[in-house]
Amino acid sequence: MSTFRPCILIPTYDNPRTVRRVVEQVRAHLPEVVVVDDGSGPEHRAIVASLGHEGLAHVTHRTRNGGKGAAVKTGFEVATGLGYTHALQVDADGQHALGDIPRFLALAQAQPDALVLGQPRFDDTAPLGRRIGRKITLFWTWAEAGSAIGDAMCGFRVYPLSSALEASRRTGDRMDFDPEIAVRIAWTGAPILQVPTAVRYVAREAGGVSHFKPWLDNWLISTMHTRLMWERVMTTLFGRRTATRLPAPRSDA
Ligand SMILES: Nc1nc2c(ncn2[C@@H]2O[C@H](COP(=O)(O)OP(=O)(O)O)[C@@H](O)[C@H]2O)c(=O)[nH]1
Ligand SMILES: [Mg+2]
């Protein structure tokens, strides 16, 4: 039987009003927490450092901002070095329904080689622009990897670390990371499991900040889909040429 030793992985870039609460709340479910500070400003850096000093999280500071994907990649390396087998990723901005953590972990434990993806259920706090962008990505990831993935944008998910490390060598470093790594892991044939979960956009007055940059991130997401579609076409035409394979059809399709 394969071992299952999960941690919580929290990438954070300037979330000074929410990160401590998120760390305290996730610890109620799993006290093994890895926080990656992605080159934040001095105020947030100090807050994250204090979480480390108080023993609430294993903290790593990146010297400069690299993007959400870069922060998660650093987290994969740190978590693997600490001996964890799985990383449950959540945002530091308080967006995710942390009470759902046990459901994510139970699925990951039952199928340790699976990627467990949150399927967001938005309330009316979700900005229209983000909803539209999400629908476009939904279409592309369906074209790239079939229906097994569902929503590939949600940052609430569990990675098996060995396949995540491997797949992350070929992904972008910013907001293109979440959908791209989901498609690349699906292409290895790993099972993809979906967990419906409520996602809200926390009001600015309550410390909610999104660093999503509409122009840059949507551009990166578009070029990423072009790259993945190209690879898929080449794989279809020339077989194993790109060393990726398409996921097996879903049994419930
Ligand atoms: N946008 C952004 N988020 C980062 C970066 N580095 C780490 N993160 C963290 O990645 C998570 C997702 O980012 P967020 O801005 O909430 O994106 P959104 O949920 O798509 O609006 C948060 O915990 C961020 O603090 C970065 O350079 N840019
Ligand atoms: Mg967020």
Side-chain angles (χ1 to χ4, degrees), residues 91-93 95-96 201 209-210:
D91 280 11
D93 59 2
Q95 272 207 298
H96 296 136
Y201 280 77
V209 246
S210 169

